[in-house]
Amino acid sequence: MSVPAAYFAVVLIWSTTPLGIVWSSESVSPTIAVLMRMVIAAVLGLTLLKCKGMSLPGNRQAMKVYWFSALGIFGGMLCSYMAAAYISSGMMSLIFGLSPVFSGLLAQKILNEARFSHMRKLAMLVSLSGLALVCSDNLSMTEQNPLGLVFILLAVFFFSLSGVLVKSVKVAIHPMATTVGALLVSIPLFFLAWLVLDGTMPVHEWQARSLWAILYLGVFGSLIGFVAYYYVLQKLTASTVTLITMITPVIALSIGAFLNNETVSTNLLIGAALVMTGLAIYNWGEKLLPAKRLASPAEE
């Protein structure tokens, strides 16, 4: 796989995943839809591991990575599927674009990373202003939207927390093994969630679009997309990879409007622009002040 092809694959998969979640939940219960998706991904992942002659590490550090990764898969995915019943796929992708900010805040507490600079605080303020505008616009449309916003914000929190916790474990594991191990840990949790929250399986109500969406998400969203992301992460700089979280919301909004007739209001466009601007400042804002940083020691 070439780097450009892998990069394009991640952008395309991440842009279409929110709409896939919405479609898969149209006629299939969210809890069973996400469970089926993870089972498909785990079976394919185990098959690939066997074909490559790879094994799943079972030491203590590896198990910590699996459980920490499963936190993002289970918490993030379950909440995303629950949110899909109330908000559009474009909005889901837009809010998920804020995950670098969430991760930065959590890393300060868990990994003792440096506090945000004034530039990053400004970036966070700009992004949150855009998010507030988007949320206020959606809250005026239906009484159910607040629940969807709560679910998707919880999803971003679990996803970001999982990534930070994984970074706290010092162990080298192949991305494919990490993915499969996390899937195997999370599947029983998804099964338990289905039993508690639903427990039914009305197969006669399932429609073809939902089943195809589940298959797509199982093969691409949960397996190929994740492996391609780690491949890109190894080959490109972090700033280049970060562009993905800025590109995907724009594409997801367009896809949702074109394929799912989702409403794209003026406030949504303005809010999305503010969120994207905030993310740009968050990632590259410090580079706007190189002269000031270099001049400071001399002034002292």
Side-chain angles (χ1 to χ4, degrees):
M1 182 185 297
S2 66
V3 174
Y7 195 93
F8 177 76
V10 174
V11 171
L12 182 61
I13 291 170
W14 283 16
S15 299
T16 53
T17 292
L19 182 57
I21 292 175
V22 171
W23 281 358
S24 67
S25 302
E26 282 181 339
S27 61
V28 181
S29 168
T31 52
I32 191 64
V34 68
L35 174 61
M36 293 168 62
R37 168 184 174 177
M38 298 307 162
V39 169
I40 292 171
V43 171
L44 288 176
L46 285 170
T47 303
L48 287 175
L49 284 179
K50 185 174 181 180
C51 292
K52 290 179 172 291
M54 299 171 59
S55 60
L56 286 175
N59 56 66
R60 184 176 179 180
Q61 292 295 89
M63 293 304 298
K64 287 179 68 175
V65 170
Y66 300 154
W67 276 103
F68 287 159
S69 300
L71 176 64
I73 293 176
F74 176 69
M77 286 296 102
L78 183 62
C79 290
S80 295
Y81 273 76
M82 301 301 288
Y86 307 114
I87 61 177
S88 68
S89 62
M91 188 171 179
M92 290 172 61
S93 180
L94 179 63
I95 295 178
F96 249 100
L98 293 172
S99 57
V101 179
F102 278 68
S103 298
L105 290 171
L106 290 168
Q108 293 178 25
K109 300 295 183 181
I110 299 174
L111 303 179
N112 293 320
E113 291 189 358
R115 292 184 176 274
F116 283 171
S117 63
H118 293 305
M119 185 64 74
R120 286 202 160 182
K121 288 179 181 178
L122 172 63
M124 192 166 62
L125 179 61
V126 173
S127 291
L128 291 179
S129 299
L131 180 60
L133 181 60
V134 171
C135 292
S136 63
D137 187 49
N138 278 263
L139 288 174
S140 63
M141 295 181 184
T142 171
E143 294 179 356
Q144 291 183 315
N145 269 325
L147 191 57
L149 294 173
V150 171
F151 279 132
I152 198 63
L153 287 171
L154 282 174
V156 177
F157 170 76
F158 284 123
F159 177 80
S160 303
L161 177 61
S162 171
V164 173
L165 289 175
V166 169
K167 286 184 179 180
S168 69
V169 183
K170 304 300 181 182
V171 62
I173 304 177
H174 193 279
M176 179 69 75
T178 301
T179 304
V180 175
L183 287 170
L184 293 177
V185 169
S186 62
I187 285 176
L189 300 177
F190 282 115
F191 180 74
L192 181 62
W194 169 67
L195 283 177
V196 173
L197 300 176
D198 186 6
T200 63
M201 193 176 292
V203 180
H204 61 282
E205 297 180 0
W206 296 355
Q207 299 175 4
R209 186 160 79 169
S210 293
L211 296 178
W212 280 113
I214 291 171
L215 181 61
Y216 170 79
L217 293 173
V219 176
F220 292 93
S222 296
L223 188 65
I224 296 178
F226 196 79
V227 175
Y229 170 70
Y230 271 96
Y231 178 77
V232 167
L233 200 60
Q234 293 173 354
K235 300 294 182 178
L236 300 176
T237 62
S239 60
T240 304
V241 177
T242 302
L243 278 172
I244 296 175
T245 61
M246 300 179 62
I247 298 171
T248 51
V250 178
I251 300 176
L253 285 168
S254 303
I255 292 176
F258 182 72
L259 296 180
N260 207 41
N261 297 318
E262 295 177 356
T263 302
V264 180
S265 65
T266 302
N267 282 348
L268 178 58
L269 292 176
I270 296 174
L274 286 173
V275 171
M276 296 298 101
T277 300
L279 289 175
I281 296 173
Y282 180 87
N283 289 300
W284 301 294
E286 297 296 332
K287 296 180 180 179
L288 298 176
L289 305 172
K292 183 177 179 180
R293 290 202 304 269
L294 292 173
S296 297
E299 292 173 358
E300 295 176 358

